[in-house]
Amino acid sequence: MTLPADDPSRSLTVADPDDPATTYVPLVGNTYGMLITGAQTGGRYCLIDMRVPDGGGPPPHRHDFEEMFTVVEGEIGFTFRGERHTVRAGSTVNVPANAPHHFRNVSGAPARMLCMCAPAGQDEYFLRIGDVLAGRDAPALTPDELAVRRRRAAELAPAYRSEFL
């Protein structure tokens, strides 16, 4: 096997969640930071910094791409194909493509995860649903604002190979 030549048009990416240039988006009560985007990886993957308040997390869903979570702070309850798993800081979970799943922060305090999606696209989806913040501290969304984002997420889901259950 011969490896392709190096692609000098691609550069080293250093992701720092504290960098003021990091793009943060509030969604379903969580705040997601786009650390490494599909544009930076040629669409191969994206890396998202997920800050999840106590009790926060998305509704049940599935999508046709791989998703991997590393719990950095807190404790997350993952429901995978109807079975619940509690995952603590330091552990990593891989969710295979097309499998029904969702998660909830069960820490009693804010939690944080790094989420890698392969191929990329989830980063674009989140940016199209939410509004970019000036920093990672999201103001609480009103019930009307949350409803608008949920509608937008449902409308855009098919274009991003996702389905809410």
Side-chain angles (χ1 to χ4, degrees):
M1 176 176 96
T2 304
L3 291 175
D6 179 26
D7 180 356
S9 70
R10 296 190 60 206
S11 61
L12 177 72
T13 301
V14 176
D16 178 354
D18 295 323
D19 185 334
T22 301
T23 300
Y24 281 94
V25 177
L27 297 169
V28 295
N30 308 329
T31 303
Y32 296 160
M34 307 305 132
L35 295 181
I36 299 178
T37 66
Q40 294 167 303
T41 66
R44 290 170 179 85
Y45 66 92
C46 63
L47 181 65
I48 302 167
D49 180 18
M50 297 182 155
R51 294 168 187 270
V52 185
D54 185 40
H61 63 281
R62 66 188 202 106
H63 34 68
D64 77 346
F65 52 86
E66 299 286 312
E67 193 170 35
M68 183 173 61
F69 300 89
T70 298
V71 180
V72 177
E73 297 170 10
E75 190 170 290
I76 304 291
F78 281 90
T79 301
F80 174 75
R81 296 182 182 144
E83 189 174 317
R84 188 173 150 105
H85 305 266
T86 301
V87 181
R88 291 172 180 76
S91 295
T92 298
V93 172
N94 185 71
V95 178
N98 303 308
H101 65 283
H102 69 281
F103 63 81
R104 286 279 167 263
N105 175 356
V106 296
S107 300
R112 183 169 165 235
M113 297 187 291
L114 295 177
C115 174
M116 180 182 288
C117 300
Q122 194 74 337
D123 51 332
E124 294 174 20
Y125 179 50
F126 289 160
L127 287 168
R128 290 193 61 197
I129 296 168
D131 303 307
V132 174
L133 298 170
R136 71 172 166 232
D137 297 319
L141 298 176
T142 67
D144 288 342
E145 291 170 325
L146 280 170
V148 166
R149 282 156 186 80
R150 284 188 181 109
R151 273 194 307 277
R152 197 178 302 152
E155 291 167 1
L156 291 169
Y160 289 92
R161 307 174 328 272
S162 297
E163 174 184 41
F164 290 100
L165 306 173

